[in-house]
Amino acid sequence: MEIYTLSLILLSLILPPLPSQACHPIDHQSLLDFKHKITFDPSNLLHSWTPQSDCCKSWNGIVCNSAGRVINLTRSGLVSGDDFILDTSMSGTLSPSLSNLTFLQLLDLSNLKDLSGPIPPQFGKLSRLTHLFLDSNKFSGSIPVTFRSLSRLQKLYLSNNMFNGEIPSVVFKSFKSLSEIGLSGNQFSGNIPASIGEMISITKLDFHENNLTGVIPDTIGRLKNVKFLDLSENQITGSIPESLGSLSELQLLYLNQNQLSGAIPGSIGGLVSIQFFRLSENKLTGVIPPSIGKLPKIQRLIFENNRLTGRLPATIGHLVTLTDIYFSGNQFTGSVPASFGNLQNLQTLDLSRNKLSGRIPSKRANPVHETTTCVGSRACQANLGLKGTSSPIPSQLAKLQNLQTLDLSFNPLNLTTLPNWFSKLKLFRLKMAKTGLQGRLPGFLSWSSTISELDLSSNALTGELPHWIGNMTNLSLLNLSNNRFRNPIPPEFKNLSLLMDLDLHSNNFSGDINTIFKKNVEGPLGHYNSIDVSYNSFSGPIHIGDEPAMDSIVSLVLSHNPIGGIIPETLSNGNGFVKILISNNNFIGKIPKELLNLKNLKEFDVSRNRLVGEIPKHNVSIPASAFLGNPGLCGTPLPPCKHSF
């Protein structure tokens, strides 16, 4: 929005001013009436608008034609130049008198934040208007039916306001010249009118983040020039219309976060210009049609969190322009197609939370008679359609040298170990939670210098955390929770100077817990955000002093470890704490006075320790259950103390 607003402003500055007569009296008074409705103008955007001066010659934001009639009114709250950015606001309402600017072509009051009230229905008289920008304010009410008279309108932006009601069908029928419409971030309701197909010049249509219901009308297929179509974050139901496949100019299609159901139509193969395609967070079912392989310009496919089934189509391997695949949270089966190895530009492959296993489906159209003998012949077994297995992760993926994120978590892959060819990848994120991994951490990780996020949680990994873990110096997130690791954390752990999020919960680690707290940092990086080492066998006592790694931690979960000792007063130095869970840790002594009054604290639990004394007074709401199991504790929210401490 800011870009095209700035372009229009610059255009008006570049063009030489036309010789003009004095400002027409009607326009002069209409603008003063508008100013009169403005109650707050902190940046003096209207300061030059004085009754004694000529609006065409000395009023900022006004452009007139040679007859002294106002054609442009531009007072946006966000304007940038080579060496400045003006971001300001204005309060007030729209004066109906603006409708007397009958020669007006451009009206830009966008990004003023606090303009409110309805759009006066008299605005329908602005028949010469080509550009109307009222976005990013607090306007309310509905779109006036009188907008049907704005037949010359080319761009209409009402986004990010509080407009409501249904979109009047009759208005769309008049918008033959409209190329861009933005109604996002409002409270529009009701159906998308079938008359949307009448806007034959439209190139950009953005209705996202409203309360629109009903189905996507088939007439949307008439918008042959549309390049940007965003209907996301509504409550649209029904299926994706086949007619969408005829939008050969479409570059971006977002239908995510609706309640769409049914299958993805095979007609999507007609979206030959599509680059960004998002269908996530719906109720779509069935298989991805093979025609998806006909999208020669596609860059991002985001189909996550639906109910899609079947095998991943091998035709996706034809989409060599793809950079991102997000298919998590569906019910895909079978294995990853070997053709995915052709996706040379792929950066993200997220297939997590599906049913990928490498199993070959048993059904086929014309099975060989069951008495046929197949000994040692895979081809024959395939003809029989018998169940078998294939590698769920083909080695061809080793060719994906631009791949940065690989997430296959929560699939029944039964991998046992990570394939050695993984070492050829230059991954930034590797997430393989609950994929059947067993045994020790694969040794090739020791020379993987690029991995920043490693999640191997919820597997059956065993042994100790190897000393070479200290070689993975780019780690910022390490999640090895829900495995069978044991023994102390190696001293080389301190070398993880970029590590910010650590999750080792539900293992059998032991030894001094302070090894975790005393790791190195690298300038502003490597300061902990979260630590969860609950349900292990770490020992204490805790010594947290001025360790840099702990100075900005938000979440600390140590529960169910035999740590012992006191809760150190220095724990209160962590002003960023939101969560402190230290139950079942054998702590003794008192709760530090300042700990319960950390300004951001929301979750706190010291239950089932051996703490004594009065619970410090605190403002945050903490349930009594967070203090139970400490016979020596008393005071709110537990019963009052019988003795003074």
Side-chain angles (χ1 to χ4, degrees):
M1 174 67 197
E2 293 80 9
I3 294 175
Y4 63 69
T5 302
L6 179 59
S7 299
L8 290 166
I9 295 169
L10 292 176
L11 185 61
S12 66
L13 293 174
I14 293 170
L15 292 175
L18 295 170
S20 64
Q21 299 178 15
C23 181
H24 194 283
I26 292 178
D27 294 1
H28 187 269
Q29 187 59 47
S30 297
L31 293 172
L32 289 176
D33 289 347
F34 167 69
K35 181 179 180 180
H36 183 68
K37 291 279 190 178
I38 300 304
T39 58
F40 185 58
D41 181 14
S43 295
N44 291 318
L45 293 178
L46 305 182
H47 179 70
S48 62
W49 293 23
T50 60
Q52 298 79 17
S53 57
D54 189 324
C55 72
C56 293
K57 296 178 180 178
S58 58
W59 289 18
N60 293 333
I62 300 299
V63 177
C64 299
N65 64 14
S66 59
R69 302 309 299 260
V70 174
I71 57 174
N72 290 2
L73 194 172
T74 303
R75 293 284 78 191
S76 174
L78 185 60
V79 179
S80 60
D82 292 337
D83 57 354
F84 75 94
I85 295 178
L86 172 65
D87 187 359
T88 187
S89 62
M90 185 185 287
S91 301
T93 58
L94 292 177
S95 170
S97 296
L98 285 177
S99 63
N100 294 326
L101 303 175
T102 52
F103 284 78
L104 195 65
Q105 298 174 25
L106 166 64
L107 176 57
D108 184 358
L109 301 175
S110 62
N111 284 291
L112 288 168
K113 289 82 171 174
D114 293 322
L115 289 180
S116 58
I119 299 175
Q122 292 90 336
F123 273 30
K125 292 163 55 180
L126 301 174
S127 59
R128 290 181 171 86
L129 200 63
T130 60
H131 295 75
L132 178 57
F133 305 133
L134 300 178
D135 49 291
S136 299
N137 281 288
K138 294 179 180 176
F139 292 120
S140 56
S142 58
I143 297 176
V145 175
T146 55
F147 269 30
R148 63 188 173 187
S149 301
L150 305 182
S151 58
R152 299 186 189 181
L153 206 58
Q154 296 173 21
K155 295 185 180 182
L156 172 63
Y157 280 87
L158 306 179
S159 306
N160 301 318
N161 280 286
M162 296 185 287
F163 291 114
N164 53 40
E166 297 189 4
I167 301 171
S169 175
V170 66
V171 169
F172 284 167
K173 291 180 180 179
S174 303
F175 286 167
K176 306 286 187 185
S177 301
L178 197 69
S179 63
E180 296 182 12
I181 182 169
L183 305 182
S184 63
N186 283 289
Q187 300 166 26
F188 289 115
S189 57
N191 296 346
I192 299 173
S195 59
I196 194 172
E198 303 289 333
M199 297 192 295
I200 54 176
S201 301
I202 205 77
T203 61
K204 181 176 181 180
L205 189 150
D206 186 358
F207 290 178
H208 86 268
E209 198 179 345
N210 279 287
N211 298 316
L212 297 173
T213 55
V215 301
I216 301 173
D218 287 332
T219 53
I220 205 164
R222 298 178 189 170
L223 307 180
K224 303 300 183 183
N225 296 305
V226 69
K227 293 182 166 104
F228 180 109
L229 178 56
D230 189 349
L231 303 179
S232 64
E233 298 179 66
N234 281 286
Q235 300 173 38
I236 300 170
T237 56
S239 57
I240 299 172
E242 290 273 350
S243 62
L244 266 178
S246 64
L247 304 180
S248 58
E249 297 294 319
L250 193 61
Q251 298 174 13
L252 181 148
L253 176 59
Y254 283 178
L255 302 178
N256 52 290
Q257 289 175 264
N258 280 289
Q259 299 179 37
L260 295 171
S261 57
I264 300 172
S267 63
I268 63 167
L271 301 175
V272 292
S273 299
I274 197 78
Q275 297 176 36
F276 306 99
F277 193 1
R278 188 165 186 174
L279 301 177
S280 52
E281 287 88 37
N282 279 290
K283 300 176 182 178
L284 297 171
T285 55
V287 301
I288 297 178
S291 59
I292 200 170
K294 299 178 180 179
L295 311 180
K297 298 181 180 179
I298 192 67
Q299 295 181 36
R300 306 190 88 195
L301 285 174
I302 306 177
F303 292 178
E304 58 195 0
N305 298 322
N306 279 284
R307 301 170 186 174
L308 299 171
T309 56
R311 297 174 70 85
L312 297 170
T315 54
I316 290 178
H318 300 155
L319 308 177
V320 294
T321 56
L322 258 181
T323 59
D324 300 280
I325 295 176
Y326 292 93
F327 286 177
S328 65
N330 283 285
Q331 300 173 35
F332 294 119
T333 55
S335 56
V336 180
S339 63
F340 277 31
N342 300 327
L343 304 176
Q344 58 193 15
N345 291 302
L346 197 65
Q347 297 176 22
T348 301
L349 179 58
D350 185 353
L351 305 176
S352 60
R353 301 182 189 278
N354 280 285
K355 297 180 180 179
L356 299 173
S357 65
R359 302 290 297 180
I360 299 175
S362 60
K363 296 179 181 179
R364 61 182 301 273
N366 298 297
V368 180
H369 195 276
E370 289 185 4
T371 57
T372 302
T373 303
C374 295
V375 179
S377 170
R378 292 185 181 178
C380 183
Q381 288 180 358
N383 285 334
L384 273 170
L386 298 176
K387 288 184 178 180
T389 58
S390 62
S391 173
I393 314 177
S395 59
Q396 287 86 344
L397 296 191
K399 296 187 294 182
L400 303 180
Q401 289 301 294
N402 288 307
L403 194 66
Q404 297 179 16
T405 298
L406 177 61
D407 191 348
L408 300 177
S409 300
F410 301 98
N411 281 285
L413 295 173
N414 299 314
L415 286 179
T416 306
T417 188
L418 294 177
N420 284 329
W421 57 261
F422 270 38
S423 62
K424 298 179 181 179
L425 299 172
K426 301 170 184 177
L427 294 172
F428 181 79
R429 298 180 186 88
L430 176 59
K431 300 189 176 186
M432 303 291 290
K434 204 171 184 179
T435 53
L437 296 174
Q438 301 176 21
R440 297 178 179 271
L441 281 179
F444 73 79
L445 291 174
S446 65
W447 63 82
S448 181
S449 60
T450 60
I451 292 181
S452 175
E453 298 180 15
L454 179 63
D455 184 352
L456 303 179
S457 61
S458 300
N459 283 294
L461 296 169
T462 58
E464 61 185 10
L465 195 62
H467 290 271
W468 53 253
I469 194 71
N471 297 339
M472 301 186 70
T473 52
N474 275 323
L475 277 179
S476 65
L477 180 150
L478 177 61
N479 188 348
L480 300 177
S481 63
N482 280 303
N483 278 287
R484 301 172 187 171
F485 289 107
R486 61 181 188 274
N487 294 352
I489 302 295
E492 290 81 0
F493 183 87
K494 69 179 181 181
N495 297 331
L496 303 183
S497 58
L498 298 179
L499 189 65
M500 294 186 294
D501 294 282
L502 176 67
D503 192 347
L504 302 179
H505 84 264
S506 302
N507 281 282
N508 195 30
F509 285 112
S510 58
D512 186 3
I513 196 170
N514 294 287
T515 304
I516 292 170
F517 306 146
K518 296 180 182 299
K519 78 169 190 70
N520 298 332
V521 298
E522 196 166 309
L525 304 176
H527 299 253
Y528 278 123
N529 176 65
S530 65
I531 295 175
D532 187 347
V533 294
S534 57
Y535 293 94
N536 279 284
S537 299
F538 286 113
S539 57
I542 292 176
H543 299 291
I544 296 180
D546 55 357
E547 286 79 7
M550 299 294 291
D551 61 11
S552 59
I553 189 166
V554 173
S555 174
L556 180 64
V557 183
L558 309 180
S559 303
H560 297 273
N561 282 281
I563 295 172
I566 64 169
I567 300 173
E569 295 272 356
T570 50
L571 197 59
S572 303
N573 295 339
N575 291 325
F577 272 122
V578 172
K579 178 192 292 187
I580 300 176
L581 304 182
I582 48 177
S583 64
N584 283 278
N585 289 136
N586 289 333
F587 286 124
I588 59 174
K590 296 183 177 182
I591 300 173
K593 289 183 178 180
E594 301 299 324
L595 195 58
L596 289 179
N597 289 293
L598 296 172
K599 62 180 180 178
N600 296 314
L601 191 64
K602 289 184 172 60
E603 288 186 68
F604 184 79
D605 190 348
V606 291
S607 61
R608 298 174 184 84
N609 283 289
R610 292 183 288 156
L611 299 170
V612 297
E614 184 175 10
I615 297 171
K617 290 180 172 58
H618 52 279
N619 295 320
V620 64
S621 177
I622 301 174
S625 59
F627 301 98
L628 294 178
N630 293 280
L633 276 184
C634 58
T636 308
L638 297 181
C641 297
K642 297 180 180 179
H643 307 283
S644 59
F645 290 91

